[in-house]
Amino acid sequence: MTDLLHQLLRESAARTPHATAVIDDAGVTTYAELDQRANQVAHLLRSRGVRPGDRVGLHLPRTADALVGVYGVLAAGAAYVPLPLGVPASRLRTIVIDAGIRIILAAHDDTTQVRADLGGPDSPLTDVVAPRAAAELSGEPPQIPVEPDDLAYVLYTSGSTGVPKGVMISHRNAMSFVDWAAREFCVTGEDRLANHAPLHFDLSVFDVFAAAWAGAAVVPVPPQAAAFPAVLADFVRTQQITVWYSVPSALNLLVSRSGLRAGDLPALRLVLFAGEVYPLPQLRSALETLPDACFYNLYGPTETNVCTYYRVPRPFPADSAALPIGIPLPGIDLCAETDDGRLAGVGETGELCVRGTTVMRGYLGDPARTAQALRPVVDGPGIPTYHTGDLVTRDSDGHWHFLGRRDSQIKTRGYRVELGEVERALALHPAVVECAVVAVPDEEFGHLIAAFVVLREEVATARLTAHCRTVLPSYMVPWRMRAVTALPRTTTDKIDYRLLKADAEESAHAGHR
């Protein structure tokens, strides 16, 4: 196993130079072409002053150019920092300043605007260049020493405070996951991996690097396909996608809103999902619609990439109340700490703690936050361990189960409530496509619970409330139930709970109880 991410591309280019590496709207890029273009970009970055350990911004859509940028930055000995498209320039400036980004790779038509938006007196940015500007440079790999523990990329995540924090991942961290995943899921040169996740979302690490590990093809999902389920289904069908990896909500929309019938995607052999809880009714529907695919539930915060996995059984047990997050990857140790400061036993609830080779180096430029997140566990060996903030329990078979976030537990009417439990109850109603539950502070009750639902058919919200009363205690039944055509999304395609909470708080303040 190679120790470096960009070495995966070089090895595939040497082994199968004419194999397809990327398929996008511009056509087919072979492994030899991708490797040559990445090396050219590496030489370009070096000529612009980039040195090992520097951070280089990527402001590129999901195309072959994005992969050229990724591998070019790594070949230059630097670390790439994806800058999400379509977000306020103020947020991107925060990232540029925090990461000390002096150069950004951007699409040819965007370089002037990116420089205007993200440069300025308080910004370290000095240069914005398109990958295609390197077309005349050498395609030979630059001879730059890179070590496995060197920084490979920085992913910015808001966390619970909304302040961006840069998660530092080394080559060793990422390769520990990529090598395991490519082997576990039997990725070969015959596969076509859909790239649905943007580069700033850690799901993209599998798409990009597991493909290079095997010499498989990456097929970026065009924005116009991602936005319309029927178009997306046609994309998966016509591109003969064999491996799909996304958040459950995206997969759910593909299955429920596209008109797919059972067996319509026979080439799709593997479906991976992560990032959110997959409601069981929707999962069962996906299993029926995609009978030829093997499903896996992957779990892990950005700080750990994937640290547990669970193969969804077929047939899925009818009496299952929840989907496990499964067992740890090789080389990963898990435990859970209880509220009273001890290690949780079987069946007990605690905060999941992760130790092993996939765990991040820390938060860029923030040693205090790093020390808080990476600290030894109670009765542990004294090794820094990532405290996830996720509440879990372990069953007698050794499978871990996700219960919810510590910060999603609220008090209402004197009772402690896990908002995820309310979501799971709502998802049981046959008319619910997806749902989200938030809490609003209230002087009288502590918190009020508000629910937002997307429905497949018109149903009075009173009926949904009545349904909740049959499966939840009265104090957990939402005070407000609102039907919406779609739930707002973050740039990683997860449900945007902050926007929903702001909406609910506005209604509460207006007196709509």
Side-chain angles (χ1 to χ4, degrees):
M1 162 180 135
T2 182
D3 294 323
L4 305 175
L5 292 170
H6 54 290
Q7 193 64 33
L8 294 172
L9 173 60
R10 290 179 186 172
E11 291 177 356
S12 282
R15 187 173 60 247
T16 54
H18 303 299
T20 297
V22 190
I23 303 171
D24 63 7
D25 288 344
V28 171
T29 302
T30 67
Y31 268 96
E33 292 167 340
L34 182 61
D35 185 47
Q36 177 181 353
R37 291 190 61 200
N39 291 332
Q40 290 173 327
V41 166
H43 286 296
L44 174 65
L45 294 174
R46 295 283 292 174
S47 72
R48 301 294 178 97
V50 171
R51 294 295 177 260
D54 286 352
R55 275 80 63 188
V56 176
L58 296 182
H59 191 269
L60 295 161
R62 287 194 298 267
T63 61
D65 278 0
L67 272 69
V68 168
V70 165
Y71 285 112
V73 171
L74 295 174
Y80 69 90
V81 183
L83 302 172
L85 306 182
V87 303
S90 59
R91 178 176 174 84
L92 296 187
R93 284 177 61 85
T94 299
I95 294 174
V96 167
I97 293 169
D98 187 74
I101 293 173
R102 294 185 293 106
I103 185 168
I104 292 175
L105 291 172
H108 177 74
D109 295 339
D110 294 338
T111 54
T112 300
Q113 189 63 53
V114 170
R115 185 180 290 107
D117 287 343
L118 305 184
D122 62 339
S123 172
L125 184 65
T126 59
D127 205 356
V128 180
V129 62
R132 296 182 184 183
E136 302 302 320
L137 299 179
S138 169
E140 293 299 314
Q143 300 304 308
I144 300 170
V146 180
E147 297 297 327
D149 289 323
D150 287 347
L151 190 62
Y153 56 85
V154 181
L155 301 183
Y156 274 82
T157 178
S158 292
S160 58
T161 65
V163 177
K165 54 184 179 180
V167 178
M168 297 190 294
I169 303 294
S170 69
H171 286 264
R172 189 189 306 277
N173 295 151
M175 280 301 307
S176 295
F177 162 68
V178 170
D179 185 68
W180 168 82
R183 295 178 189 278
E184 177 68 24
F185 303 131
C186 303
V187 183
T188 74
E190 301 301 312
D191 277 312
R192 289 187 170 198
L193 284 69
N195 172 219
H196 181 272
L199 288 178
H200 65 276
F201 193 11
D202 59 350
L203 272 63
S204 66
V205 171
F206 171 80
D207 304 335
V208 173
F209 297 113
W213 185 97
V218 176
V219 190
V221 178
Q224 61 270 27
F228 301 100
V231 179
L232 182 57
D234 186 62
F235 168 85
V236 174
R237 183 189 300 109
T238 58
Q239 291 293 343
Q240 294 290 290
I241 298 300
T242 63
V243 180
W244 175 271
Y245 188 21
S246 75
V247 293
S249 52
L251 179 59
N252 183 37
L253 291 176
L254 171 64
V255 169
S256 65
R257 295 292 184 92
S258 65
L260 279 177
R261 296 174 298 177
D264 278 355
L265 302 177
L268 189 60
R269 70 170 185 86
L270 179 65
V271 172
L272 310 174
F273 55 91
E276 297 174 324
V277 173
Y278 207 147
L280 292 189
Q282 287 86 336
L283 174 59
R284 289 192 172 96
S285 177
L287 289 166
E288 293 171 1
T289 305
L290 303 172
D292 303 307
C294 182
F295 281 62
Y296 279 83
N297 183 19
L298 306 184
Y299 162 86
T302 302
E303 288 85 347
T304 71
N305 207 308
V306 172
C307 58
T308 73
Y309 68 107
Y310 178 74
R311 181 169 179 167
V312 180
R314 284 183 182 271
F316 191 73
D319 59 350
S320 290
L323 185 70
I325 57 174
I327 59 175
L329 273 61
I332 296 296
D333 293 321
L334 304 179
C335 66
E337 281 188 346
T338 64
D339 285 341
D340 57 0
R342 58 184 178 81
L343 294 182
V346 172
E348 293 185 307
T349 297
E351 178 185 9
L352 184 65
C353 302
V354 185
R355 180 173 63 246
T357 53
T358 67
V359 176
M360 67 170 181
R361 284 178 29 173
Y363 297 114
L364 181 64
D366 197 337
R369 182 179 273 174
T370 297
Q372 177 62 24
L374 295 175
R375 62 185 192 275
V377 296
V378 176
D379 298 330
I383 300 172
T385 303
Y386 179 63
H387 289 61
T388 65
D390 289 343
L391 298 175
V392 296
T393 187
R394 181 166 50 93
D395 64 28
S396 57
D397 293 325
H399 288 119
W400 293 86
H401 295 255
F402 173 78
L403 303 178
R405 290 285 301 167
R406 275 191 181 278
D407 52 22
S408 70
Q409 276 196 344
I410 63 159
K411 276 283 191 75
T412 181
R413 296 172 172 84
Y415 294 94
R416 187 173 294 279
V417 172
E418 168 55 55
L419 297 178
E421 188 176 351
V422 184
E423 289 183 345
R424 288 190 289 273
L426 262 174
L428 293 174
H429 194 284
V432 174
V433 175
E434 60 179 345
C435 61
V437 174
V438 297
V440 178
D442 180 82
E443 291 184 2
E444 181 178 357
F445 298 110
H447 286 90
L448 297 173
I449 299 173
F452 297 81
V453 292
V454 177
L455 303 173
R456 59 171 45 90
E457 60 192 48
E458 188 172 342
V459 174
T461 55
R463 288 179 55 187
L464 297 178
T465 300
H467 159 76
C468 287
R469 293 188 186 282
T470 66
V471 292
L472 294 172
S474 59
Y475 61 85
M476 294 179 67
V477 174
W479 134 82
R480 179 190 182 218
M481 191 84 64
R482 180 180 169 191
V484 295
T485 56
L487 296 175
R489 301 284 170 185
T490 67
T491 60
T492 58
D493 215 27
K494 295 182 181 181
I495 295 170
D496 194 331
Y497 282 92
R498 287 191 181 86
L499 284 181
L500 294 176
K501 186 171 183 178
D503 184 312
E505 288 179 345
E506 183 178 350
S507 294
H509 293 156
H512 299 311
R513 286 199 192 173

